[in-house]
Amino acid sequence: TGYIPNCQILGELASNDEQSVLASSTDRSFRIDYVNNCFLKDGARFRYISGSIHYFRVPPAYWKDRLLKMYMSGLNAVQIYVPWNYHEPQPGVYNFSGDRDLEKFLNLVAELDLLVILRPGPYICAEWEMGGLPSWLLTKPDIALRTTDSDYLQAVDRWLGVLLPKIKPHLYHNGGNIISVQVENEYGSYYACDYNYMRHLLGVFRASLGEEVVLFTTDGTSASELKCGTLQGLYATVDFGPEENVTEAFMLQRLYEPKGPLVNSEYYTGWLDYWGEAHSTKSAKKVANSLQKILEMGANVNMYMFQGGTNFGYWSGADYKDGYKPITTSYDYDAPLSEAGDPTDKLYIIRSVISKVTIQPSSITKAHGYFCLRVPSGIAVDTSCGFCSAFQAHGFMLYRTLLPQEIVESALLSASGNGVHDLAYVLLNGEYQGTLERDRVNGINISGQLGDTLDLVVESMGRINFGANDSDFKGLIHNITLGTSILSDWIIYPLDIDTAVAHAWPPTAQSSSGHRGPAFYTGTFTTPGISEDSYLKLPGWTKGQVWINGFNLGRFWPVRGPQQTLYVPGSFLSGSAINTLVVLELQEAPDNPKVLFVSRPLLNVTYNYTHKDRK
């Protein structure tokens, strides 16, 4: 198999006291030792055993809990992505407060004596909406993402000019806990292979962070990925899971880094889920066995993910593999810590490999039982655009026109060129007709009178986040035809539903026109003295979105699966006041609309597609 130069780790990693003595006798430093094929921390050989956690997928009230469990599992570092679109929702508008308080999270990590491997992008993938790139970039329709395109670089430079100065004080040699910083992410998987773009980023990072910080890249273990993803001046690392041969994978890293530490920046403990496919799992034994081999080689490793978390709201991304494949709300990832932060069997066997201290007891989940919801309120359009924004990044858009002629016998309403991105719920005079779906359902038959109102409520299911993803525009991107006629004169209404729900909308409905088509259902419940985690199950519901106390829990789609429950963090509930639940059902609600809070997740049920599902 060949010889792979690697760092010889003598005994266990130094204790905290020993490291403090080393740090006090030398300047704080973290660098690469190309002679001994190691990292050096404060002049001593160092190997990190890290796990990925995403602060943007975990409620802030639980940040410390998750980090403490990672520390107690034997990790000495965590790996963190920074999603650009989470912090710059509109051009020049930045948000680093509340659940977006990156520096607060970094300080919590430091309090627990954990180091940080930071991955600030600008592209991150992460199965996150558009791979972390802000969708407002697409207002320039010809923009070439992740290249030297001038419009793209201008936005990138402005963003990094805000982000990197926040990071600099947290670098290890500046007294912080960030030991290394990744530039871009898996760029070798992108079609552009623009070395000038990578050189530009390298210059920006060096100019802002200085020459001392370790900058690196991460790519898969194929020749093409490493060829286009690596660059002189950036230390090349690889990512691979337990299915790959450890020795062969690191030999590929050695082709680009003949000397220096072996690094697996993404060792996959599990995998993501797509709507309509089986729940992904990886054998705990196989994960542990391969991890053991990595550690025996003296390599550095980051386990991706160590805790996955949740794609709250509209933040889940999508892949394009023989068709559009949106990612589920749950990002459980079959990780060592579950979506709710509970230790799994996989964690215990990994901890035994790392040979560190015992983990804390698992957190508690609570089954609150059934709660009934009120009759539905139709999806409302404020023609004064009171809930609208100038640019709709996520969620829903309403397209409205009038039928140009009488359709006595049904005619096919269809989108040319697969032009619905991603689903369109069709209503005629407010009556639900069916659903158009990207790559699945391109047309439905309707009939009506001249001047009837035709509404298409268009839903984005997440922008493509990985690979050769050209700009993934949302909405109606090609003509809609009825029979042989192209429909025109559309009026478009952005629907800022989250703001509306936050302002106690919708009001209690006085009547109902039926249970089919887009409608809101509201209810209240109490959990006296209780605010533990739970899971929301929606028996008999079809597809939609859920809010609790104004917070968007994310998408549900039980008829498509595999995810059947939504994670409800206890921190979102009030044990002393009335809690409010709002459900937006988009296709068909049960005759007796109610929901069930349960104590365990159900993530692995997949049904065959039915007529109800497709309509």
Side-chain angles (χ1 to χ4, degrees):
T1 58
Y3 171 68
I4 301 180
N6 61 77
C7 179
Q8 298 301 312
I9 303 294
L10 304 178
E12 297 293 331
L13 297 175
S15 68
N16 293 338
D17 291 340
E18 291 168 330
Q19 291 182 23
S20 298
V21 171
L22 287 167
S24 64
S25 61
T26 62
D27 291 335
R28 286 175 64 92
S29 63
F30 188 85
R31 61 186 181 86
I32 294 173
D33 181 348
Y34 288 98
V35 175
N36 295 299
N37 303 312
C38 293
F39 289 117
L40 293 179
K41 179 173 171 285
D42 301 331
R45 295 184 184 184
F46 178 81
R47 184 257 301 278
Y48 65 72
I49 304 173
S50 171
S52 288
I53 180 172
H54 296 159
Y55 63 94
F56 43 91
R57 284 183 163 124
V58 179
Y62 293 159
W63 285 351
K64 190 170 184 178
D65 170 80
R66 306 303 192 256
L67 292 168
L68 181 61
K69 289 173 179 175
M70 295 174 77
Y71 174 80
M72 297 291 282
S73 299
L75 306 185
N76 59 4
V78 297
Q79 189 191 83
I80 302 168
Y81 274 132
V82 181
W84 177 5
N85 55 7
Y86 200 57
H87 294 286
E88 192 180 0
Q90 299 177 41
V93 177
Y94 303 99
N95 188 345
F96 287 93
S97 62
D99 54 4
R100 292 164 169 79
D101 195 337
L102 171 61
E103 291 185 274
K104 179 179 179 180
F105 185 80
L106 290 173
N107 290 334
L108 276 175
V109 177
E111 287 176 16
L112 293 171
D113 203 23
L114 289 163
L115 300 168
V116 171
I117 300 122
L118 194 71
R119 310 172 83 183
Y123 164 82
I124 64 169
C125 183
E127 289 74 62
W128 189 253
E129 157 79 7
M130 204 167 153
L133 299 178
S135 58
W136 48 258
L137 292 169
L138 304 182
T139 58
K140 296 183 180 296
D142 297 326
I143 194 168
L145 303 174
R146 303 173 71 191
T147 71
T148 49
D149 178 283
S150 59
D151 289 326
Y152 177 69
L153 285 188
Q154 183 180 17
V156 166
D157 290 350
R158 185 181 64 227
W159 160 241
L160 294 178
V162 172
L163 176 64
L164 296 183
K166 292 178 180 292
I167 291 171
K168 189 171 183 178
H170 295 274
L171 297 177
Y172 185 78
H173 62 271
N174 290 335
N177 58 340
I178 298 175
I179 56 174
S180 59
V181 178
Q182 180 177 292
V183 176
E184 245 278 347
N185 182 61
E186 297 180 323
Y187 191 63
S189 300
Y190 195 57
Y191 73 92
C193 200
D194 187 341
Y195 292 114
N196 287 331
Y197 165 60
M198 292 295 289
R199 290 188 188 99
H200 178 88
L201 291 181
L202 172 58
V204 171
F205 276 72
R206 282 289 177 219
S208 184
L209 301 181
E211 295 296 324
E212 189 171 346
V213 63
V214 173
L215 299 179
F216 70 99
T217 60
T218 300
D219 284 286
T221 55
S222 73
S224 61
E225 288 171 302
L226 287 162
K227 177 184 177 182
C228 288
T230 57
L231 186 73
Q232 186 175 359
L234 297 171
Y235 191 75
T237 75
V238 292
D239 54 32
F240 59 89
E243 301 84 4
E244 293 194 45
N245 181 287
V246 173
T247 302
E248 292 177 0
F250 281 131
M251 286 180 70
L252 285 164
Q253 183 192 357
R254 280 288 178 242
L255 292 177
Y256 289 84
E257 295 293 354
K259 293 288 187 178
L262 298 174
V263 180
N264 184 345
S265 290
E266 289 188 8
Y267 175 62
Y268 302 112
T269 63
W271 202 247
L272 61 140
D273 285 346
Y274 302 108
W275 290 113
E277 297 188 10
H279 175 52
S280 296
T281 61
K282 287 188 186 291
S283 159
K285 185 177 180 181
K286 289 181 180 178
V287 169
N289 288 345
S290 190
L291 176 63
Q292 181 67 41
K293 293 176 183 176
I294 291 171
L295 297 180
E296 287 173 351
M297 294 183 69
N300 300 263
V301 63
N302 173 73
M303 284 167 272
Y304 189 99
M305 296 291 298
F306 206 84
Q307 198 231 338
T310 308
N311 293 313
F312 294 116
Y314 311 108
W315 288 112
S316 56
D319 281 340
Y320 200 93
K321 300 175 180 177
D322 299 321
Y324 177 75
K325 299 176 68 170
I327 293 163
T328 59
T329 301
S330 173
Y331 198 66
D332 178 85
Y333 212 83
D334 194 33
L337 287 171
S338 74
E339 183 178 10
D342 295 319
T344 66
D345 291 342
K346 187 175 289 181
L347 182 140
Y348 293 119
I349 192 170
I350 285 174
R351 187 187 66 177
S352 70
V353 171
I354 301 173
S355 299
K356 291 293 182 177
V357 297
T358 305
I359 197 168
Q360 283 187 334
S362 65
S363 58
I364 300 171
T365 57
K366 182 69 175 179
H368 300 304
Y370 275 103
F371 294 96
C372 294
L373 281 74
R374 301 190 191 105
V375 293
S377 172
I379 195 164
V381 178
D382 185 344
T383 55
S384 66
C385 212
F387 293 138
C388 302
S389 58
F391 177 76
Q392 185 79 12
H394 314 290
F396 303 88
M397 300 273 286
L398 175 65
Y399 291 74
R400 172 171 289 173
T401 191
L402 303 178
L403 291 190
Q405 61 197 48
E406 182 178 2
I407 309 295
V408 178
E409 297 184 3
S410 62
L412 185 67
L413 179 74
S414 62
S416 61
N418 200 26
V420 171
H421 283 194
D422 299 304
L423 292 99
Y425 305 96
V426 181
L427 300 99
L428 192 63
N429 291 337
E431 295 294 325
Y432 178 64
Q433 305 294 310
T435 301
L436 303 176
E437 183 178 351
R438 180 178 182 177
D439 289 326
R440 291 187 183 274
V441 181
N442 195 52
I444 61 172
N445 289 309
I446 65 170
S447 59
Q449 303 297 314
L450 171 67
D452 282 355
T453 299
L454 177 66
D455 288 335
L456 271 63
V457 179
V458 180
E459 178 184 14
S460 167
M461 285 293 291
R463 290 176 179 83
I464 294 169
N465 57 257
F466 180 76
N469 51 306
D470 293 328
S471 299
D472 189 9
F473 296 98
K474 297 300 182 183
L476 301 182
I477 65 169
H478 295 301
N479 288 329
I480 300 294
T481 60
L482 181 59
T484 59
S485 301
I486 296 175
L487 297 179
S488 59
D489 299 324
W490 293 97
I491 302 174
I492 304 172
Y493 301 95
L495 302 177
D496 188 358
I497 296 173
D498 290 79
T499 299
V501 171
H503 288 83
W505 190 89
T508 302
Q510 300 301 315
S511 62
S512 171
S513 60
H515 300 302
R516 298 188 75 242
F520 288 93
Y521 298 75
T522 61
T524 59
F525 61 96
T526 58
T527 57
I530 299 172
S531 58
E532 284 92 0
D533 294 353
S534 58
Y535 296 88
L536 182 69
K537 194 172 188 297
L538 294 106
W541 300 78
T542 307
K543 186 184 189 306
Q545 206 90 16
V546 177
W547 293 259
I548 285 186
N549 294 331
F551 188 90
N552 192 330
L553 292 183
R555 303 178 179 98
F556 67 90
W557 204 352
V559 298
R560 184 67 60 91
Q563 181 178 354
Q564 301 296 307
T565 54
L566 291 174
Y567 173 51
V568 182
S571 60
F572 293 176
L573 302 177
S574 172
S576 59
I578 293 175
N579 297 281
T580 301
L581 176 71
V582 176
V583 177
L584 169 59
E585 170 59 63
L586 293 162
Q587 292 181 313
E588 185 169 356
D591 292 334
N592 182 20
K594 57 184 178 180
V595 299
L596 176 64
F597 289 88
V598 297
S599 60
R600 293 286 183 269
L602 186 57
L603 302 176
N604 59 350
V605 177
T606 303
Y607 298 104
N608 292 327
Y609 301 140
T610 64
H611 178 74
K612 174 182 175 181
D613 178 25
R614 300 178 74 98
K615 292 291 283 183

